[in-house]
Amino acid sequence: MNRITMKGLFFAFLTLIFCSGYFPCAATELPKVSDVSGIIHKVNRYWQTTHPKHSWSFWDHAAYHTGNMEAYFLTGDTAYYNYSEAWAGHNQWMGARSKDKSKWKSGYGESNEYVLFGDYQVCFQTYIDLYTVEPDERKIARAREVMEYEMSTDRSDYWWWADGLYMVMPVMTKLYKVTGNPLYLEKLHEYWEYANSIMYDAEAGLYYRDAKYVYPKHKSVNGKKDFWARGDGWVLAALAKVLKDLPQDDKYRSEYVDRFRTMAKAVVACQQPEGYWTRSMLDPQHAPGPETSGTAFFTYGLLWGVNNDLLDRETYEPVVLKAWEYLATVALQPNGHVGYVQPIGEKAIPGQVVDANSTANFGVGAFLLAACEMVRFIEDAPIVNEGYQVTDKGAWCWFADPRALHYKSKDGSIDRTYIGYIDTHGNIKAMQYDFHKKQQKEVLIRSCFQPDDHDNPTFLILPDERVMIFYSRHTDERCFYYRISREPGDITTLGEEKKIITENNTTYPSPFILSDDPDHIYLCWRGIGWHPTIAKLSLPDKKDNINVEWGPYQLVQSTGARPYAKYTSNGKDKILFTYTTGHPDQESPNFLYFNYIDIHTLQLEDVKGNVLSTIADGPFQINKRSEYVEQYPYTVVDSPEERDWVWQIAIDKPGNPVIAMVRISEDKTSHNYYYARWTGKEWKKNFLAHAGGHFHQSSYIEKCYSGGMTIDPAQTNVIYCSVPVEGKYGRKYEIQKYMLNDGGDVVAVEAVTRNSRYNNVRPYIIPDSEDTPLRLTWMHGNYYDWIVSTTHPLGYCTAIHSDFRGFPVKTETENIEMTVEQAKDFKFDLKEDFVISVTLKPDTVKYRGCLLQLGKLGYYLNANTMKPEVRYQRKVYTSTNMLGTADTWAIMPRGTNGKWYVPQKYSELRLKLEYKNGILRTYVNGLLDQTIELLPFVR
C-alpha cells in the first residue's frame, strides 16, 4: 500500500481544560524520524538510568522489556539489549520458578507456584527475542518447558483476563517461529477462542477486562458498557504481535485479521479529540482525563496495522498523529519521564488521580512500542533509505583492498572516485565518478572472469598519477592480472591486460607505494601456502611491464591452514597487518594477531617495535598455545574462546592501530562486533553491536559471514556496521553508524539505511574521500554464495549502493537509435561527433566477422579470441575483453579448480558507439569497453 505524505496537513484540536491543568492545543503534522528517535532514546535512557537494579520477572517489568527490545531492534543500541539480557539473567531466564509440576497453578497469584499464570509468562517474549539475536538454548529452555507442559493438558481456560492475551499470545507465535512446532498455533487458537467466549462483546467489537465486567452485570457510572482502555490496549497490541509472527498461510490467520480490524474500528470511534483514550472507553465521564498506557498500546496497534497494510493509511493517519501528539507533548515530560499512566489495576476507577507524575514500567514499555512503530510509519520512502545505486550488479569480498579509492591531484585537476566490483556474469568492473564534470562511467576491466566475489579489483595511484588496477582468480591460479590507465587519473583509458607470474596461487591483492620508497610497489596477498605473502615490485616501465625485485616471501606460518589478513600503511615506511590463526569455520578458538612490516629493514615487528623476524629468512611462526602468548604478548590482539575474524585495520590520529573485528560463537550462530585499539600499553576491545548470524540466504554454508563493518580512516572513532534491524519489510541487515568516545565506548548510533527491501552488507569507507560527499559504499541485495555454480547459480546477485545522492540521471542525449541495416547508410565523419546505439544479434554458431559497419568504421568479432575489434583505415583496435559472459559456470560444480570454462556467447547485446573530439568509446551492454584515439586521422 502506498503511503501518503500529508505535508501541510493540520488537525485543529478542540481545546478542553481539565482540572489537572492539562491543556493541549497544537497543530499536528508528520513528525521527523530524528525527533521520534530522539524521544525513544530520551525515554529509555531515563528509565534505565533511574532503574539500574533489576527486579522480578512478573508482568509489569516484563511488559517494559517488550518495549525495550523493540527499541533495540529499531535502533541497534546495544545498551538496550544489555539491559534486558541482564534482567533475564537476574531471573535465570524463568518466570515463576517452581520445578514441581504437580504444584503448578494458573489462577491469579504471585508466588513461584503460579507457573501457568500468564503474568509470569510474558517474560518469555523477551527471552525469545534475546535468543533470536544470540541463540543459546538455555534462554528459551524454561519457556519451552512451561508452554509445552501447558499444551499437554486438556484445559483451554488459561486466558481468562484481557491482559493475558498480550502476556501469552505472542509467546506462542514466537516459540512457533523458533521451534516450528505447529501445536503452538493450534493451542493459540484454542485458548483464544475460550477468551473470546467469556470476554468479547461482538456488538461493541471490544473486550471486557474479564467475565465479571460483562454488561449488564457491570456498568459504568452512566449505565454504559465499561471497556477498560488498558485492557483493550493489551488485546489490540497482542493481535499486532501475533500477526507479525504468524505464517501467512496459517488456517486461522483471517480470523485474527478480522478481529484486529474490527477492534481498530471500534477503538478509533472512541478516541478523544485531544488524541488520548479515557480509561472507560465508552463513558469518558466515568474516569475523565488522559491515560497513557492504553493510549500507547492503541497507538502501537494502529500504527502496526497501517505499516503492515492491514489498515488503510488515509483513514488511520489522523488518528495516530493525534495520539502521538498527546504521547510526545503531554505524556512525555522534559526529563524523559512518561506520565499519566494509570497505576496497576484492572478497571477504570472514578476519582482516581492520574497526572503527570503517574508512571509505571509497563507504561514506558507501551510508549516505546508506539514510538518505534511511529518511526516506521514515517519512513514513507524506503528506496531512499537504501542509499543510492552505484551499479545494479556488483559484489566484493572484504580481504582485497582498496576496493575503492578517491584521488585528488595536487593541482586539483583530477578529482575522481573509483569503486571496483565483480558481477555474477564474470565481469570485473569499476565505476569512475568525476567531481569536476559530475560524470559517472562504468568500465569493463575484464569480461568472462571466474564469477567469484573474491576476485574484486583493487586500486593503486602511481607516481605519474595513472591508475593501476590489480585482480586475480580466487586462489587457483599462479598469477595476478593488472591494467593501467593510459591517462592520469582516468580509468576509462585502460591499457592492455598484463600479468605478474608467481610460483604459488594468489588471491586478495593489496598494493602500496610508500613515500620512503616511491620507486617500488609493495604487494601483499594470500599466496605461499595459503598464508600472508609480500613482494616488492618495480614501477611499470614504458610498456607497463613490471618486475618482481624482492620476494615473494611468506610473512608468517600459522598452525591454522588459512590465516586471513587485512593490511594498511602509514604512507611512509610501514605496512601494518592483522591476521587470524586461520579460517573461523575451521578454527575454534580463532586468535587475532598484529604485526608491522618495516620497509627499510624488511623485518617483521610487533606492536612495540620488537623485531620478530627478517622476512627473507623465513616466516614468523605463530600459534594459539599459552606458551606462545607468554613469549610474544605484543603480537596477540585477541585470544578469545570464540572464533575471531577481522574486517579492517586503520591508524588513529596518535598513530596507533585500530581494528574492526567480530567474535563468532562456537556454533557460529551468534556474531558480535568489536573495536580493538592499541592504547600504547594494551589492546582494548570494546563491544559495539550484535551482528546477528550469517547474513545471506543459504543456511548451510559460510556461517561465519557477518554483515560486515568498516572504520572511517579519517576519524577512526566512527565505525559503520551491518546489523539486523526490524523494518517495514521485516528483519533486514541495515547499515548503522557507531560513534565512539576516546575510550572506545559507543556514545551514539545513527541509522544510515532504514526499511530496506534487501540486506545491506559489507560496508566500506572509501580511502582519502573525507573531503567528498561520496564516502560510504556497500552491497545491497540477496546473496547465496561467493561463487556461481550449479549449487547456487544466483551466486552473489547484489548491487552496490552508496551514501552519495549526486549521481547523474542516466540519459541518452543526442543518441541515435538504429538497426544494423540502417547503419549501412550512416556516413561516418571524423569531424562530427555522434552517439549511436545498436542492438546486435550475432550468429552464435559462426560468431565472427563484421557485426556493424559505419562507412569506413567497422565493429568486428575475432573468431579465434572472441574479442571485438574496431577497424578503421586498415588499423585494428582489439579489446582486452571477450564478447561473452561466464554464465556457463552456473552449470558447473562449486569450487575453485583453476579451470577456464568456455564463455557463453551473446545471442543479443547492446552496443553503443560514442565519438567526441577524435575519441571513440565503445560500450557493451552499458559498460565502457574501449577508448580509442582516432584523432591522428583527423589531423
Side-chain angles (χ1 to χ4, degrees):
M1 180 179 67
N2 293 328
R3 294 185 167 188
I4 302 168
T5 303
M6 305 187 72
K7 294 181 178 178
L9 178 62
F10 295 91
F11 301 98
F13 284 0
L14 299 177
T15 302
L16 185 62
I17 301 176
F18 292 94
C19 60
S20 64
Y22 163 61
F23 188 97
C25 184
T28 301
E29 59 183 359
L30 203 63
K32 295 179 180 178
V33 167
S34 58
D35 291 341
V36 181
S37 297
I39 287 173
I40 292 171
H41 292 305
K42 184 177 185 179
V43 167
N44 214 18
R45 287 169 183 168
Y46 175 80
W47 182 265
Q48 293 184 5
T49 301
T50 56
H51 296 81
K53 294 184 178 180
H54 294 292
S55 188
W56 62 341
S57 58
F58 207 46
W59 71 270
D60 54 330
H61 295 281
Y64 160 75
H65 283 279
T66 63
N68 179 58
M69 287 304 295
E70 194 69 21
Y72 165 71
F73 287 132
L74 180 80
T75 68
D77 193 321
T78 54
Y80 303 161
Y81 178 94
N82 294 338
Y83 190 80
S84 283
E85 185 178 48
W87 170 76
H90 174 79
N91 287 289
Q92 301 176 38
W93 304 90
M94 302 174 76
R97 300 187 186 184
S98 169
K99 296 181 179 179
D100 186 350
K101 293 183 174 66
S102 67
K103 295 181 180 180
W104 285 4
K105 300 178 182 179
S106 62
Y108 183 88
E110 300 180 7
S111 66
N112 279 322
E113 288 74 33
Y114 286 88
V115 176
L116 305 181
F117 180 32
D119 283 7
Y120 265 127
Q121 296 173 349
V122 60
C123 60
F124 297 154
Q125 291 189 41
T126 296
Y127 301 167
I128 299 165
D129 285 344
L130 292 166
Y131 170 88
T132 63
V133 177
E134 285 192 300
D136 183 341
E137 288 300 322
R138 69 186 176 89
K139 297 179 180 179
I140 61 170
R142 179 64 168 185
R144 293 187 64 180
E145 178 190 20
V146 170
M147 301 313 298
E148 287 170 11
Y149 172 82
E150 189 170 294
M151 293 189 301
S152 72
T153 70
D154 57 5
R155 293 176 51 194
S156 59
D157 59 351
Y158 289 106
W159 303 342
W160 48 266
W161 74 119
D163 319 31
L165 300 188
Y166 182 87
M167 307 304 162
V168 197
M169 287 181 74
V171 173
M172 306 289 272
T173 48
K174 286 176 182 289
L175 281 173
Y176 168 76
K177 285 189 70 175
V178 169
T179 66
N181 183 354
L183 186 60
Y184 283 110
L185 301 186
E186 286 295 329
K187 289 296 184 178
L188 166 71
H189 187 261
E190 179 184 326
Y191 300 166
W192 182 60
E193 283 196 317
Y194 170 79
N196 292 334
S197 71
I198 63 169
M199 292 184 288
Y200 181 63
D201 187 308
E203 181 184 39
L206 297 169
Y207 284 78
Y208 296 104
R209 195 274 177 176
D210 59 56
K212 64 178 176 286
Y213 293 100
V214 173
Y215 182 87
K217 182 168 56 177
H218 171 83
K219 301 178 183 178
S220 72
V221 294
N222 292 308
K224 298 181 180 181
K225 294 180 179 181
D226 186 14
F227 295 103
W228 182 43
R230 185 157 70 230
D232 276 281
W234 290 123
V235 180
L236 189 69
L239 288 170
K241 281 175 162 276
V242 164
L243 289 167
K244 177 181 178 181
D245 291 331
L246 195 70
Q248 291 293 324
D249 60 355
D250 181 79
K251 60 184 177 181
Y252 303 119
R253 184 177 179 86
S254 61
E255 294 182 34
Y256 299 118
V257 170
D258 290 345
R259 181 60 49 82
F260 178 77
R261 287 173 170 160
T262 299
M263 280 198 74
K265 186 176 180 180
V267 165
V268 168
C270 53
Q271 184 186 29
Q272 299 304 297
E274 299 79 18
Y276 62 80
W277 280 262
T278 54
R279 284 163 277 175
S280 182
M281 296 171 65
L282 301 186
D283 190 350
Q285 298 308 311
H286 179 90
E291 200 284 315
T292 295
S293 63
T295 297
F297 280 127
F298 288 146
T299 306
Y300 163 72
L302 296 174
L303 282 167
W304 187 91
V306 173
N307 291 343
N308 290 274
D309 299 333
L310 292 182
L311 301 177
D312 175 63
R313 183 178 180 114
E314 187 171 2
T315 300
Y316 287 91
E317 182 168 294
V319 176
V320 295
L321 289 180
K322 284 196 296 182
W324 178 251
E325 180 74 10
Y326 159 75
L327 291 171
T329 64
V330 178
L332 177 62
Q333 305 305 303
N335 62 356
H337 168 96
V338 175
Y340 296 96
V341 178
Q342 183 190 1
I344 291 175
E346 62 178 50
K347 63 182 178 181
I349 303 174
Q352 184 182 39
V353 175
V354 176
D355 58 21
N357 295 317
S358 305
T359 194
N361 42 16
F362 55 85
V364 175
F367 187 101
L368 292 172
L369 287 172
C372 291
E373 213 57 46
M374 176 55 76
V375 169
R376 299 181 181 113
F377 178 81
I378 300 166
E379 298 294 339
D380 59 356
I383 185 64
V384 174
N385 297 314
E386 294 172 336
Y388 305 90
Q389 190 179 94
V390 174
T391 183
D392 63 343
K393 296 181 180 68
W396 49 51
C397 189
W398 69 99
F399 285 104
D401 277 326
R403 73 200 86 159
L405 188 66
H406 178 78
Y407 179 67
K408 186 173 183 178
S409 59
K410 290 183 179 179
D411 63 6
S413 60
I414 301 171
D415 190 7
R416 296 186 177 117
T417 289
Y418 319 97
I419 303 175
Y421 37 85
I422 183 171
D423 68 23
T424 53
H425 303 295
N427 295 315
I428 297 178
K429 306 182 289 186
M431 188 282 298
Q432 173 176 289
Y433 184 78
D434 189 318
F435 284 92
H436 290 314
K437 298 179 181 179
K438 293 181 170 46
Q439 183 183 72
Q440 179 185 11
K441 295 281 188 181
E442 191 170 23
V443 179
L444 180 59
I445 299 170
R446 169 68 187 271
S447 69
C448 300
F449 210 68
Q450 175 192 44
D452 183 321
D453 71 9
H454 296 69
D455 302 349
N456 67 267
T458 59
F459 300 89
L460 180 69
I461 304 298
L462 297 172
D464 61 7
E465 298 189 306
R466 294 186 300 155
V467 185
M468 187 173 185
I469 303 177
F470 294 85
Y471 49 101
S472 73
R473 285 176 60 116
H474 179 196
T475 206
D476 64 358
E477 190 178 27
R478 297 180 179 185
C479 72
F480 286 107
Y481 298 87
Y482 68 92
R483 295 183 71 183
I484 302 173
S485 66
R486 296 193 298 269
E487 298 295 328
D490 188 1
I491 65 170
T492 69
T493 66
L494 290 177
E496 65 178 299
E497 181 182 78
K498 292 181 175 291
K499 285 185 181 182
I500 304 170
I501 303 300
T502 61
E503 292 184 2
N504 300 88
N505 291 340
T506 63
T507 197
Y508 306 140
S510 295
F512 301 92
I513 294 179
L514 304 179
S515 61
D516 280 10
D517 185 11
D519 297 326
H520 291 98
I521 298 168
Y522 290 84
L523 185 63
C524 302
W525 72 93
R526 187 176 78 187
I528 302 172
W530 295 64
H531 276 61
T533 301
I534 189 171
K536 182 164 64 173
L537 315 177
S538 68
L539 293 178
D541 61 18
K542 292 182 180 180
K543 295 184 178 180
D544 284 346
N545 295 315
I546 65 173
N547 296 313
V548 178
E549 297 191 351
W550 174 81
Y553 293 113
Q554 182 178 337
L555 291 167
V556 297
Q557 176 62 55
S558 173
T559 51
R562 286 183 288 165
Y564 280 76
K566 293 288 293 184
Y567 304 85
T568 191
S569 83
N570 64 359
K572 182 179 186 301
D573 60 354
K574 288 183 172 62
I575 296 172
L576 295 70
F577 71 112
T578 182
Y579 55 97
T580 58
T581 313
H583 194 300
D585 263 344
Q586 286 84 44
E587 293 289 328
S588 181
N590 200 32
F591 283 17
L592 186 65
Y593 311 84
F594 171 85
N595 298 146
Y596 287 105
I597 300 166
D598 187 318
I599 67 165
H600 292 300
T601 64
L602 298 176
Q603 291 179 320
L604 206 62
E605 301 174 6
D606 65 20
V607 72
K608 283 276 198 176
N610 300 309
V611 175
L612 302 170
S613 69
T614 298
I615 294 170
D617 291 343
F620 175 65
Q621 305 289 320
I622 62 114
N623 59 64
K624 297 184 291 187
R625 292 192 294 271
S626 58
E627 296 86 353
Y628 172 86
V629 177
E630 291 175 6
Q631 185 175 0
Y632 300 105
Y634 297 114
T635 67
V636 180
V637 177
D638 195 32
S639 53
E641 296 180 356
E642 299 95 336
R643 308 167 184 262
D644 277 0
W645 220 354
V646 63
W647 279 88
Q648 189 171 347
I649 181 170
I651 303 173
D652 65 14
K653 288 183 180 179
N656 294 320
V658 296
I659 297 170
M661 54 174 281
V662 60
R663 286 179 180 168
I664 302 167
S665 63
E666 167 63 26
D667 63 2
K668 308 175 190 175
T669 60
S670 177
H671 301 198
N672 289 314
Y673 293 134
Y674 283 83
Y675 176 76
R677 64 186 184 91
W678 176 249
T679 66
K681 296 181 179 180
E682 63 177 350
W683 284 100
K684 183 178 179 184
K685 279 84 69 177
N686 293 75
F687 173 79
L688 295 182
H690 296 294
H694 67 273
F695 75 86
H696 52 81
Q697 278 73 31
S698 300
S699 60
Y700 57 93
I701 61 169
E702 303 301 349
K703 293 185 177 181
C704 294
Y705 274 14
S706 309
M709 53 196 307
T710 183
I711 302 170
D712 185 345
Q715 41 185 349
T716 55
N717 64 331
V718 175
I719 318 293
Y720 294 86
C721 298
S722 170
V723 296
V725 176
E726 287 288 347
K728 178 177 174 60
Y729 297 97
R731 184 170 295 188
K732 304 297 180 185
Y733 279 77
E734 305 283 12
I735 307 298
Q736 296 198 335
K737 178 181 179 181
Y738 292 80
M739 288 152 282
L740 316 181
N741 60 20
D742 291 341
D745 298 315
V746 177
V747 294
V749 181
E750 292 181 0
V752 176
T753 62
R754 290 190 184 93
N755 287 328
S756 298
R757 295 165 295 180
Y758 303 100
N759 289 332
N760 304 282
V761 298
R762 297 184 181 172
Y764 185 66
I765 285 286
I766 301 170
D768 303 321
S769 66
E770 53 267 26
D771 295 326
T772 80
L774 175 49
R775 303 223 58 220
L776 178 66
T777 61
W778 62 87
M779 289 161 49
H780 173 81
N782 290 329
Y783 185 103
Y784 301 93
D785 203 351
W786 47 263
I787 193 169
V788 174
S789 69
T790 186
T791 305
H792 295 292
L794 295 178
Y796 44 90
C797 49
T798 57
I800 301 296
H801 283 204
S802 79
D803 60 350
F804 180 53
R805 66 177 65 202
F807 292 126
V809 177
K810 292 180 174 63
T811 58
E812 297 285 351
T813 56
E814 300 181 9
N815 179 49
I816 301 175
E817 296 278 350
M818 61 174 57
T819 65
V820 175
E821 290 299 317
Q822 291 171 333
K824 294 178 181 178
D825 298 326
F826 182 81
K827 295 180 180 180
F828 172 56
D829 187 339
L830 281 171
K831 296 180 181 179
E832 293 185 8
D833 298 343
F834 68 86
V835 179
I836 290 176
S837 293
V838 183
T839 298
L840 302 179
K841 298 182 179 181
D843 186 332
T844 56
V845 177
K846 296 180 180 179
Y847 216 61
R848 64 180 182 270
C850 182
L851 302 182
L852 181 68
Q853 193 70 45
L854 300 173
K856 296 180 180 180
L857 182 70
Y859 189 79
Y860 285 74
L861 178 57
N862 187 299
N864 296 319
T865 65
M866 281 184 61
K867 294 180 179 180
E869 301 172 344
V870 172
R871 299 182 185 181
Y872 183 71
Q873 292 191 352
R874 298 182 182 180
K875 190 166 180 65
V876 177
Y877 304 88
T878 303
S879 171
T880 290
N881 300 303
M882 288 186 282
L883 204 63
T885 71
D887 289 353
T888 48
W889 290 66
I891 59 173
M892 299 300 174
R894 181 178 187 266
T896 54
N897 55 21
K899 294 181 180 179
W900 288 103
Y901 296 120
V902 176
Q904 178 72 47
K905 299 173 183 177
Y906 282 123
S907 59
E908 182 174 310
L909 65 103
R910 179 83 165 168
L911 176 68
K912 185 172 84 169
L913 302 178
E914 180 183 84
Y915 179 75
K916 187 175 183 180
N917 298 329
I919 304 295
L920 177 68
R921 293 183 173 86
T922 68
Y923 298 80
V924 176
N925 292 328
L927 301 175
L928 176 60
D929 184 24
Q930 293 177 270
T931 298
I932 303 166
E933 185 177 1
L934 297 180
L935 193 60
F937 294 107
V938 177
R939 296 171 183 167

